[in-house]
Short mmCIF file of all heavy atoms in Angstrom, two decimals:
data_model
loop_
_atom_site.label_atom_id
_atom_site.label_comp_id
_atom_site.label_asym_id
_atom_site.label_seq_id
_atom_site.Cartn_x
_atom_site.Cartn_y
_atom_site.Cartn_z
N MET S 1 240.72 130.96 145.13
CA MET S 1 239.35 130.50 145.04
C MET S 1 238.40 131.63 145.56
O MET S 1 237.36 131.88 144.96
CB MET S 1 239.14 129.21 145.74
CG MET S 1 237.78 128.68 145.73
SD MET S 1 237.29 128.14 144.09
CE MET S 1 235.81 127.28 144.47
N ALA S 2 238.80 132.22 146.71
CA ALA S 2 237.94 133.21 147.29
C ALA S 2 237.72 134.43 146.34
O ALA S 2 236.67 134.93 146.24
CB ALA S 2 238.53 133.71 148.60
N SER S 3 238.83 134.79 145.62
CA SER S 3 238.76 135.98 144.71
C SER S 3 237.81 135.56 143.54
O SER S 3 237.10 136.47 143.03
CB SER S 3 240.11 136.36 144.17
OG SER S 3 240.69 135.36 143.44
N LEU S 4 237.81 134.35 143.13
CA LEU S 4 236.91 133.90 142.04
C LEU S 4 235.45 133.99 142.50
O LEU S 4 234.60 134.40 141.73
CB LEU S 4 237.23 132.46 141.54
CG LEU S 4 238.54 132.33 140.76
CD1 LEU S 4 238.82 130.87 140.53
CD2 LEU S 4 238.41 133.06 139.47
N MET S 5 235.24 133.62 143.71
CA MET S 5 233.86 133.67 144.24
C MET S 5 233.42 135.14 144.41
O MET S 5 232.26 135.41 144.06
CB MET S 5 233.78 132.99 145.63
CG MET S 5 234.02 131.46 145.52
SD MET S 5 232.90 130.67 144.46
CE MET S 5 231.43 130.65 145.44
N GLU S 6 234.29 135.99 144.81
CA GLU S 6 234.02 137.41 144.92
C GLU S 6 233.70 138.01 143.56
O GLU S 6 232.77 138.81 143.38
CB GLU S 6 235.14 138.20 145.59
CG GLU S 6 235.28 137.87 147.07
CD GLU S 6 236.57 138.48 147.65
OE1 GLU S 6 237.33 139.17 146.97
OE2 GLU S 6 236.78 138.21 148.86
N GLU S 7 234.49 137.57 142.54
CA GLU S 7 234.28 138.03 141.17
C GLU S 7 232.91 137.55 140.66
O GLU S 7 232.19 138.28 139.98
CB GLU S 7 235.40 137.59 140.25
CG GLU S 7 235.34 138.13 138.90
CD GLU S 7 236.53 137.69 138.01
OE1 GLU S 7 237.43 137.00 138.51
OE2 GLU S 7 236.51 138.08 136.85
N LEU S 8 232.57 136.31 140.99
CA LEU S 8 231.29 135.75 140.56
C LEU S 8 230.11 136.53 141.16
O LEU S 8 229.18 136.89 140.53
CB LEU S 8 231.17 134.25 140.94
CG LEU S 8 229.85 133.56 140.62
CD1 LEU S 8 229.58 133.59 139.15
CD2 LEU S 8 229.90 132.17 141.14
N ILE S 9 230.26 136.81 142.48
CA ILE S 9 229.23 137.57 143.20
C ILE S 9 229.03 138.94 142.56
O ILE S 9 227.91 139.36 142.33
CB ILE S 9 229.51 137.63 144.71
CG1 ILE S 9 229.35 136.25 145.32
CG2 ILE S 9 228.60 138.64 145.43
CD1 ILE S 9 229.84 136.11 146.72
N ALA S 10 230.18 139.61 142.33
CA ALA S 10 230.12 140.97 141.71
C ALA S 10 229.49 140.96 140.34
O ALA S 10 228.61 141.81 139.99
CB ALA S 10 231.48 141.54 141.65
N THR S 11 229.83 139.92 139.54
CA THR S 11 229.29 139.80 138.23
C THR S 11 227.77 139.56 138.28
O THR S 11 227.03 140.09 137.53
CB THR S 11 229.98 138.65 137.47
OG1 THR S 11 231.41 138.94 137.41
CG2 THR S 11 229.47 138.51 136.04
N LEU S 12 227.35 138.69 139.18
CA LEU S 12 225.91 138.36 139.31
C LEU S 12 225.18 139.61 139.79
O LEU S 12 224.04 139.81 139.36
CB LEU S 12 225.70 137.18 140.26
CG LEU S 12 226.13 135.83 139.71
CD1 LEU S 12 226.06 134.78 140.83
CD2 LEU S 12 225.26 135.42 138.57
N GLN S 13 225.73 140.39 140.68
CA GLN S 13 225.09 141.61 141.11
C GLN S 13 224.96 142.62 139.95
O GLN S 13 223.92 143.22 139.80
CB GLN S 13 225.87 142.22 142.30
CG GLN S 13 225.74 141.47 143.56
CD GLN S 13 226.62 142.00 144.68
OE1 GLN S 13 227.65 142.61 144.42
NE2 GLN S 13 226.25 141.69 145.90
N ASN S 14 225.98 142.72 139.13
CA ASN S 14 225.91 143.61 137.95
C ASN S 14 224.91 143.12 136.99
O ASN S 14 224.13 143.93 136.40
CB ASN S 14 227.29 143.71 137.31
CG ASN S 14 228.29 144.52 138.13
OD1 ASN S 14 227.93 145.36 138.85
ND2 ASN S 14 229.56 144.17 138.00
N GLU S 15 224.84 141.86 136.83
CA GLU S 15 223.88 141.25 135.91
C GLU S 15 222.46 141.46 136.39
O GLU S 15 221.53 141.83 135.64
CB GLU S 15 224.12 139.72 135.69
CG GLU S 15 223.40 139.13 134.57
CD GLU S 15 223.81 137.73 134.22
OE1 GLU S 15 224.68 137.16 134.94
OE2 GLU S 15 223.20 137.12 133.33
N MET S 16 222.26 141.31 137.68
CA MET S 16 220.94 141.55 138.31
C MET S 16 220.52 142.99 138.08
O MET S 16 219.33 143.26 137.77
CB MET S 16 220.93 141.17 139.74
CG MET S 16 219.62 141.37 140.44
SD MET S 16 219.63 140.98 142.21
CE MET S 16 220.61 142.31 142.84
N ALA S 17 221.48 143.98 138.31
CA ALA S 17 221.16 145.34 138.15
C ALA S 17 220.74 145.67 136.68
O ALA S 17 219.80 146.44 136.48
CB ALA S 17 222.39 146.21 138.58
N ALA S 18 221.40 145.02 135.77
CA ALA S 18 221.08 145.21 134.37
C ALA S 18 219.66 144.71 134.09
O ALA S 18 218.89 145.35 133.35
CB ALA S 18 222.12 144.61 133.45
N TYR S 19 219.31 143.59 134.63
CA TYR S 19 217.98 143.03 134.40
C TYR S 19 216.96 143.92 135.08
O TYR S 19 215.84 144.14 134.52
CB TYR S 19 217.87 141.61 135.01
CG TYR S 19 218.29 140.51 134.01
CD1 TYR S 19 219.42 139.75 134.25
CD2 TYR S 19 217.54 140.21 132.88
CE1 TYR S 19 219.80 138.76 133.37
CE2 TYR S 19 217.92 139.26 132.00
CZ TYR S 19 219.02 138.53 132.22
OH TYR S 19 219.46 137.56 131.35
N GLN S 20 217.28 144.48 136.23
CA GLN S 20 216.35 145.43 136.87
C GLN S 20 216.14 146.70 136.05
O GLN S 20 215.09 147.32 136.09
CB GLN S 20 216.82 145.79 138.27
CG GLN S 20 216.69 144.61 139.23
CD GLN S 20 217.28 144.90 140.58
OE1 GLN S 20 218.23 145.72 140.75
NE2 GLN S 20 216.80 144.19 141.59
N GLU S 21 217.13 147.05 135.27
CA GLU S 21 216.98 148.18 134.36
C GLU S 21 216.00 147.87 133.26
O GLU S 21 215.35 148.79 132.70
CB GLU S 21 218.30 148.58 133.66
CG GLU S 21 219.31 149.24 134.52
CD GLU S 21 220.64 149.45 133.84
OE1 GLU S 21 220.66 149.61 132.57
OE2 GLU S 21 221.66 149.50 134.48
N MET S 22 215.88 146.59 132.92
CA MET S 22 215.01 146.21 131.82
C MET S 22 213.51 146.33 132.18
O MET S 22 212.68 146.55 131.29
CB MET S 22 215.23 144.74 131.43
CG MET S 22 216.55 144.51 130.68
SD MET S 22 216.52 145.29 129.03
CE MET S 22 215.34 144.24 128.20
N LEU S 23 213.11 146.22 133.42
CA LEU S 23 211.72 146.25 133.78
C LEU S 23 211.07 147.55 133.37
O LEU S 23 210.01 147.56 132.70
CB LEU S 23 211.50 145.96 135.26
CG LEU S 23 210.04 145.95 135.76
CD1 LEU S 23 209.28 144.82 134.96
CD2 LEU S 23 209.97 145.67 137.21
N PRO S 24 211.60 148.72 133.81
CA PRO S 24 210.90 149.97 133.40
C PRO S 24 210.97 150.16 131.88
O PRO S 24 210.04 150.75 131.29
CB PRO S 24 211.70 151.07 134.12
CG PRO S 24 212.85 150.46 134.75
CD PRO S 24 212.68 148.99 134.73
N VAL S 25 212.01 149.65 131.20
CA VAL S 25 212.09 149.77 129.79
C VAL S 25 210.98 148.95 129.13
O VAL S 25 210.28 149.45 128.17
CB VAL S 25 213.48 149.30 129.23
CG1 VAL S 25 213.49 149.24 127.72
CG2 VAL S 25 214.56 150.25 129.81
N ALA S 26 210.71 147.78 129.64
CA ALA S 26 209.64 146.89 129.11
C ALA S 26 208.28 147.62 129.34
O ALA S 26 207.42 147.50 128.47
CB ALA S 26 209.69 145.54 129.76
N GLU S 27 208.13 148.22 130.49
CA GLU S 27 206.83 148.90 130.77
C GLU S 27 206.63 150.08 129.80
O GLU S 27 205.52 150.28 129.31
CB GLU S 27 206.82 149.38 132.20
CG GLU S 27 206.67 148.19 133.20
CD GLU S 27 206.85 148.57 134.67
OE1 GLU S 27 207.25 149.75 134.92
OE2 GLU S 27 206.57 147.74 135.51
N GLU S 28 207.70 150.81 129.58
CA GLU S 28 207.63 151.94 128.60
C GLU S 28 207.33 151.46 127.17
O GLU S 28 206.59 152.04 126.44
CB GLU S 28 208.95 152.76 128.60
CG GLU S 28 209.08 153.75 129.71
CD GLU S 28 210.33 154.60 129.50
OE1 GLU S 28 210.38 155.31 128.45
OE2 GLU S 28 211.22 154.54 130.37
N LYS S 29 207.96 150.38 126.88
CA LYS S 29 207.73 149.75 125.53
C LYS S 29 206.31 149.32 125.39
O LYS S 29 205.74 149.58 124.28
CB LYS S 29 208.69 148.55 125.37
CG LYS S 29 208.69 147.97 123.95
CD LYS S 29 209.69 146.88 123.86
CE LYS S 29 209.82 146.31 122.47
NZ LYS S 29 210.82 145.20 122.38
N THR S 30 205.71 148.73 126.37
CA THR S 30 204.31 148.33 126.32
C THR S 30 203.41 149.61 126.09
O THR S 30 202.53 149.65 125.28
CB THR S 30 203.88 147.65 127.59
OG1 THR S 30 204.71 146.46 127.75
CG2 THR S 30 202.45 147.24 127.57
N TYR S 31 203.71 150.65 126.85
CA TYR S 31 202.92 151.89 126.69
C TYR S 31 203.09 152.44 125.30
O TYR S 31 202.09 152.92 124.70
CB TYR S 31 203.36 152.92 127.76
CG TYR S 31 202.61 154.17 127.66
CD1 TYR S 31 201.30 154.24 128.11
CD2 TYR S 31 203.22 155.30 127.09
CE1 TYR S 31 200.59 155.46 127.99
CE2 TYR S 31 202.52 156.52 127.04
CZ TYR S 31 201.18 156.58 127.48
OH TYR S 31 200.47 157.73 127.33
N ALA S 32 204.34 152.46 124.76
CA ALA S 32 204.53 152.97 123.43
C ALA S 32 203.81 152.16 122.35
O ALA S 32 203.24 152.77 121.42
CB ALA S 32 206.04 153.03 123.11
N ILE S 33 203.75 150.89 122.56
CA ILE S 33 203.05 150.01 121.58
C ILE S 33 201.55 150.30 121.67
O ILE S 33 200.87 150.44 120.60
CB ILE S 33 203.36 148.53 121.86
CG1 ILE S 33 204.82 148.21 121.48
CG2 ILE S 33 202.39 147.59 121.09
CD1 ILE S 33 205.31 146.85 121.94
N VAL S 34 201.00 150.35 122.88
CA VAL S 34 199.60 150.56 123.05
C VAL S 34 199.15 151.93 122.51
O VAL S 34 198.13 152.10 121.88
CB VAL S 34 199.18 150.46 124.55
CG1 VAL S 34 197.79 150.96 124.81
CG2 VAL S 34 199.34 149.01 125.02
N SER S 35 200.00 152.93 122.72
CA SER S 35 199.66 154.32 122.29
C SER S 35 200.10 154.54 120.79
O SER S 35 199.95 155.63 120.29
CB SER S 35 200.30 155.35 123.17
OG SER S 35 201.72 155.28 123.11
N ASN S 36 200.72 153.49 120.17
CA ASN S 36 201.12 153.60 118.81
C ASN S 36 202.11 154.73 118.50
O ASN S 36 202.03 155.37 117.45
CB ASN S 36 199.87 153.69 117.84
CG ASN S 36 200.23 153.25 116.46
OD1 ASN S 36 201.09 152.41 116.21
ND2 ASN S 36 199.53 153.83 115.47
N ASP S 37 202.95 154.95 119.45
CA ASP S 37 204.02 155.96 119.37
C ASP S 37 205.32 155.34 118.77
O ASP S 37 206.15 154.83 119.53
CB ASP S 37 204.27 156.58 120.71
CG ASP S 37 205.21 157.78 120.70
OD1 ASP S 37 205.86 157.99 119.65
OD2 ASP S 37 205.26 158.49 121.73
N LEU S 38 205.47 155.34 117.47
CA LEU S 38 206.56 154.66 116.81
C LEU S 38 207.90 155.27 117.12
O LEU S 38 208.92 154.60 117.25
CB LEU S 38 206.30 154.52 115.34
CG LEU S 38 205.07 153.73 114.94
CD1 LEU S 38 204.94 153.75 113.38
CD2 LEU S 38 205.15 152.35 115.51
N GLN S 39 207.95 156.57 117.25
CA GLN S 39 209.19 157.27 117.56
C GLN S 39 209.67 156.87 118.92
O GLN S 39 210.88 156.58 119.12
CB GLN S 39 209.02 158.80 117.47
CG GLN S 39 210.31 159.54 117.67
CD GLN S 39 210.13 161.07 117.48
OE1 GLN S 39 208.98 161.55 117.42
NE2 GLN S 39 211.23 161.77 117.42
N LYS S 40 208.76 156.90 119.91
CA LYS S 40 209.18 156.47 121.29
C LYS S 40 209.54 155.00 121.28
O LYS S 40 210.49 154.62 122.00
CB LYS S 40 207.96 156.73 122.23
CG LYS S 40 208.23 156.41 123.66
CD LYS S 40 209.22 157.40 124.23
CE LYS S 40 209.33 157.20 125.74
NZ LYS S 40 210.36 158.04 126.33
N LEU S 41 208.85 154.15 120.53
CA LEU S 41 209.17 152.78 120.46
C LEU S 41 210.61 152.53 119.91
O LEU S 41 211.33 151.69 120.44
CB LEU S 41 208.13 152.05 119.56
CG LEU S 41 208.32 150.52 119.44
CD1 LEU S 41 208.22 149.84 120.85
CD2 LEU S 41 207.27 149.97 118.55
N GLN S 42 210.96 153.36 118.92
CA GLN S 42 212.33 153.21 118.38
C GLN S 42 213.41 153.59 119.39
O GLN S 42 214.39 152.89 119.55
CB GLN S 42 212.51 154.09 117.16
CG GLN S 42 213.87 153.96 116.53
CD GLN S 42 214.20 152.57 116.02
OE1 GLN S 42 213.37 151.94 115.38
NE2 GLN S 42 215.38 152.06 116.42
N GLN S 43 213.12 154.63 120.21
CA GLN S 43 214.02 155.07 121.22
C GLN S 43 214.12 153.95 122.34
O GLN S 43 215.25 153.71 122.76
CB GLN S 43 213.55 156.39 121.89
CG GLN S 43 213.65 157.61 121.01
CD GLN S 43 212.93 158.78 121.58
OE1 GLN S 43 212.19 158.70 122.61
NE2 GLN S 43 213.15 159.93 120.96
N ILE S 44 213.03 153.43 122.68
CA ILE S 44 213.00 152.41 123.75
C ILE S 44 213.72 151.14 123.23
O ILE S 44 214.51 150.51 123.97
CB ILE S 44 211.58 152.09 124.18
CG1 ILE S 44 211.00 153.30 124.86
CG2 ILE S 44 211.49 150.85 125.03
CD1 ILE S 44 209.45 153.21 125.09
N THR S 45 213.51 150.80 122.00
CA THR S 45 214.19 149.61 121.39
C THR S 45 215.69 149.82 121.43
O THR S 45 216.45 148.89 121.69
CB THR S 45 213.68 149.35 119.97
OG1 THR S 45 212.23 149.18 120.02
CG2 THR S 45 214.24 148.13 119.37
N ASP S 46 216.13 151.00 121.06
CA ASP S 46 217.57 151.29 121.16
C ASP S 46 218.13 151.13 122.54
O ASP S 46 219.20 150.52 122.76
CB ASP S 46 217.86 152.69 120.63
CG ASP S 46 217.61 152.87 119.13
OD1 ASP S 46 217.51 151.84 118.40
OD2 ASP S 46 217.44 154.02 118.64
N LEU S 47 217.41 151.69 123.54
CA LEU S 47 217.79 151.54 124.92
C LEU S 47 217.78 150.08 125.37
O LEU S 47 218.72 149.62 126.01
CB LEU S 47 216.91 152.40 125.80
CG LEU S 47 217.12 152.34 127.29
CD1 LEU S 47 218.57 152.82 127.65
CD2 LEU S 47 216.16 153.15 128.06
N GLU S 48 216.85 149.39 124.95
CA GLU S 48 216.67 147.94 125.25
C GLU S 48 217.86 147.14 124.67
O GLU S 48 218.43 146.29 125.35
CB GLU S 48 215.36 147.44 124.64
CG GLU S 48 215.05 146.02 125.02
CD GLU S 48 213.67 145.64 124.41
OE1 GLU S 48 213.45 145.80 123.17
OE2 GLU S 48 212.84 145.14 125.21
N GLN S 49 218.28 147.46 123.43
CA GLN S 49 219.41 146.76 122.82
C GLN S 49 220.67 147.08 123.61
O GLN S 49 221.53 146.18 123.82
CB GLN S 49 219.55 147.18 121.37
CG GLN S 49 218.44 146.60 120.46
CD GLN S 49 218.42 145.10 120.51
OE1 GLN S 49 219.49 144.46 120.41
NE2 GLN S 49 217.25 144.55 120.64
N GLU S 50 220.84 148.31 124.09
CA GLU S 50 222.03 148.68 124.85
C GLU S 50 222.05 147.86 126.09
O GLU S 50 223.11 147.32 126.52
CB GLU S 50 221.98 150.15 125.14
CG GLU S 50 223.14 150.68 125.94
CD GLU S 50 223.03 152.15 126.16
OE1 GLU S 50 222.63 152.92 125.26
OE2 GLU S 50 223.37 152.56 127.29
N THR S 51 220.95 147.76 126.81
CA THR S 51 220.85 147.00 128.04
C THR S 51 221.11 145.51 127.81
O THR S 51 221.77 144.88 128.59
CB THR S 51 219.53 147.25 128.75
OG1 THR S 51 219.29 148.64 128.87
CG2 THR S 51 219.45 146.61 130.11
N ILE S 52 220.58 144.98 126.74
CA ILE S 52 220.77 143.64 126.42
C ILE S 52 222.26 143.35 126.15
O ILE S 52 222.81 142.27 126.48
CB ILE S 52 219.95 143.18 125.21
CG1 ILE S 52 218.44 143.14 125.63
CG2 ILE S 52 220.38 141.85 124.63
CD1 ILE S 52 217.48 143.00 124.49
N GLY S 53 222.94 144.32 125.55
CA GLY S 53 224.36 144.20 125.35
C GLY S 53 225.17 144.08 126.66
O GLY S 53 226.03 143.28 126.79
N LYS S 54 224.74 144.88 127.66
CA LYS S 54 225.36 144.84 129.01
C LYS S 54 225.11 143.46 129.60
O LYS S 54 226.01 142.83 130.18
CB LYS S 54 224.74 145.90 129.91
CG LYS S 54 225.19 147.29 129.65
CD LYS S 54 224.61 148.11 130.78
CE LYS S 54 224.25 149.51 130.36
NZ LYS S 54 223.59 150.29 131.40
N ILE S 55 223.90 142.97 129.50
CA ILE S 55 223.53 141.69 130.11
C ILE S 55 224.34 140.58 129.45
O ILE S 55 224.86 139.69 130.13
CB ILE S 55 222.00 141.37 129.96
CG1 ILE S 55 221.21 142.36 130.84
CG2 ILE S 55 221.66 139.97 130.27
CD1 ILE S 55 219.72 142.36 130.66
N SER S 56 224.48 140.68 128.14
CA SER S 56 225.29 139.68 127.42
C SER S 56 226.74 139.69 127.91
O SER S 56 227.37 138.63 128.09
CB SER S 56 225.18 139.93 125.92
OG SER S 56 225.98 138.98 125.23
N MET S 57 227.28 140.86 128.06
CA MET S 57 228.67 140.97 128.50
C MET S 57 228.81 140.35 129.93
O MET S 57 229.77 139.57 130.19
CB MET S 57 229.04 142.43 128.58
CG MET S 57 230.49 142.69 129.06
SD MET S 57 230.87 144.43 129.35
CE MET S 57 229.82 144.74 130.81
N PHE S 58 227.89 140.62 130.84
CA PHE S 58 227.95 140.08 132.14
C PHE S 58 227.76 138.54 132.11
O PHE S 58 228.40 137.86 132.86
CB PHE S 58 226.90 140.70 133.09
CG PHE S 58 227.21 142.14 133.41
CD1 PHE S 58 226.23 143.16 133.33
CD2 PHE S 58 228.50 142.54 133.86
CE1 PHE S 58 226.48 144.43 133.63
CE2 PHE S 58 228.77 143.88 134.21
CZ PHE S 58 227.77 144.80 134.03
N GLU S 59 226.91 138.07 131.23
CA GLU S 59 226.65 136.66 131.11
C GLU S 59 227.93 135.92 130.64
O GLU S 59 228.26 134.87 131.18
CB GLU S 59 225.51 136.36 130.14
CG GLU S 59 225.16 134.91 130.01
CD GLU S 59 224.67 134.24 131.23
OE1 GLU S 59 224.21 134.98 132.21
OE2 GLU S 59 224.66 133.01 131.32
N GLN S 60 228.66 136.54 129.72
CA GLN S 60 229.88 135.90 129.22
C GLN S 60 230.95 135.92 130.33
O GLN S 60 231.68 134.92 130.47
CB GLN S 60 230.43 136.69 128.03
CG GLN S 60 229.61 136.47 126.76
CD GLN S 60 230.03 137.34 125.58
OE1 GLN S 60 230.94 138.14 125.73
NE2 GLN S 60 229.37 137.13 124.47
N LYS S 61 230.99 137.03 131.06
CA LYS S 61 231.96 137.08 132.18
C LYS S 61 231.67 136.05 133.23
O LYS S 61 232.53 135.38 133.77
CB LYS S 61 231.96 138.49 132.81
CG LYS S 61 232.99 138.67 133.89
CD LYS S 61 233.10 140.08 134.37
CE LYS S 61 234.18 140.20 135.36
NZ LYS S 61 234.32 141.54 135.92
N ARG S 62 230.37 135.86 133.50
CA ARG S 62 229.90 134.88 134.51
C ARG S 62 230.33 133.49 134.07
O ARG S 62 230.83 132.77 134.85
CB ARG S 62 228.45 134.97 134.74
CG ARG S 62 227.91 133.97 135.80
CD ARG S 62 226.42 133.74 135.67
NE ARG S 62 225.99 133.22 134.38
CZ ARG S 62 226.18 131.89 134.05
NH1 ARG S 62 226.73 131.07 134.82
NH2 ARG S 62 225.75 131.51 132.83
N ALA S 63 230.11 133.21 132.83
CA ALA S 63 230.48 131.88 132.29
C ALA S 63 232.01 131.67 132.42
O ALA S 63 232.44 130.57 132.74
CB ALA S 63 230.00 131.74 130.86
N GLY S 64 232.77 132.69 132.14
CA GLY S 64 234.26 132.57 132.29
C GLY S 64 234.65 132.32 133.68
O GLY S 64 235.55 131.49 133.98
N VAL S 65 234.02 133.02 134.63
CA VAL S 65 234.38 132.90 136.04
C VAL S 65 233.99 131.48 136.52
O VAL S 65 234.76 130.80 137.20
CB VAL S 65 233.68 133.90 136.96
CG1 VAL S 65 233.88 133.66 138.42
CG2 VAL S 65 234.22 135.34 136.59
N ILE S 66 232.83 130.99 136.10
CA ILE S 66 232.39 129.65 136.49
C ILE S 66 233.39 128.62 135.88
O ILE S 66 233.76 127.67 136.55
CB ILE S 66 230.96 129.36 135.96
CG1 ILE S 66 229.96 130.21 136.66
CG2 ILE S 66 230.63 127.87 136.03
CD1 ILE S 66 229.72 129.83 138.13
N SER S 67 233.84 128.85 134.72
CA SER S 67 234.87 127.96 134.04
C SER S 67 236.13 127.95 134.89
O SER S 67 236.71 126.87 135.11
CB SER S 67 235.08 128.46 132.67
OG SER S 67 235.59 127.42 131.87
N ASN S 68 236.57 129.11 135.32
CA ASN S 68 237.79 129.19 136.14
C ASN S 68 237.58 128.48 137.47
O ASN S 68 238.53 127.83 137.97
CB ASN S 68 238.17 130.67 136.35
CG ASN S 68 238.69 131.32 135.11
OD1 ASN S 68 239.13 130.67 134.16
ND2 ASN S 68 238.63 132.63 135.07
N ILE S 69 236.43 128.64 138.06
CA ILE S 69 236.16 127.91 139.34
C ILE S 69 236.23 126.41 139.13
O ILE S 69 236.77 125.69 139.94
CB ILE S 69 234.80 128.41 139.92
CG1 ILE S 69 234.85 129.82 140.40
CG2 ILE S 69 234.34 127.46 141.03
CD1 ILE S 69 233.54 130.41 140.77
N ALA S 70 235.69 125.95 137.98
CA ALA S 70 235.68 124.52 137.69
C ALA S 70 237.12 124.00 137.56
O ALA S 70 237.43 122.92 138.04
CB ALA S 70 234.88 124.25 136.44
N VAL S 71 237.98 124.83 136.95
CA VAL S 71 239.40 124.43 136.79
C VAL S 71 240.02 124.29 138.18
O VAL S 71 240.78 123.36 138.42
CB VAL S 71 240.18 125.43 135.95
CG1 VAL S 71 241.66 125.23 136.01
CG2 VAL S 71 239.69 125.34 134.47
N VAL S 72 239.76 125.23 139.08
CA VAL S 72 240.38 125.23 140.39
C VAL S 72 239.86 124.02 141.16
O VAL S 72 240.62 123.35 141.93
CB VAL S 72 240.06 126.53 141.16
CG1 VAL S 72 240.48 126.41 142.59
CG2 VAL S 72 240.76 127.70 140.49
N LEU S 73 238.60 123.72 141.04
CA LEU S 73 238.04 122.56 141.79
C LEU S 73 238.45 121.25 141.13
O LEU S 73 238.55 120.23 141.70
CB LEU S 73 236.51 122.65 141.82
CG LEU S 73 235.98 123.81 142.63
CD1 LEU S 73 234.43 123.81 142.53
CD2 LEU S 73 236.40 123.68 144.09
#
């Protein structure tokens, strides 16, 4: 059980870090939209999609760990 909790904590920390990566990306995206810089917007959108992929992976892992904890309990 303790190892599951440690895995959950690590997964949540990784997920939090990925969300923190999104803030500057969102700010850059806003600037690109305001300045009508379509090339920069495309680059930012690609980066944003990559970060969303990481978040999705961590979210799936978190759900799996929670499921395993439920089985143990």
